[in-house]
Amino acid sequence: VPDNATARKLSLTLDGQTVYSEALPGPGIHRIVTPPQKARAATSVIGLEVDRTFSAPGDSRRLGIVLFDVGWGK
């Protein structure tokens, strides 16, 4: 979460079902780990949603957080 980001709540969905939804403690790097999930099909869709967005100076896009990686464990 960048220092100038206003997002404080993150929700993560897997194939349309919420698997994580919590408040983040503030800016910085956060690692989100969910309980094991079972795939419903051969492919899956992961969605991220934040409660608030912001715009950086000179950039009119609505930004939330920076995502570095999504991984699957076994």
Side-chain angles (χ1 to χ4, degrees), residues 9-32:
K9 183 174 180 185
L10 172 71
S11 296
L12 183 133
T13 60
L14 175 63
D15 297 327
Q17 301 293 316
T18 301
V19 296
Y20 176 91
S21 184
E22 287 194 24
L24 300 172
I29 295 174
H30 303 281
R31 184 171 189 227
I32 307 301

Side-chain angles (χ1 to χ4, degrees), residues 4-7 50-55 61-65:
N4 57 341
T6 56
V50 294
D51 62 337
R52 290 179 269 170
T53 60
F54 72 102
S55 291
R61 296 176 297 163
R62 301 302 303 164
L63 307 170
I65 61 173

Side-chain angles (χ1 to χ4, degrees), residues 13-17 43-47 72:
T13 60
L14 175 63
D15 297 327
Q17 301 293 316
T43 60
S44 293
V45 176
I46 294 174
W72 301 100

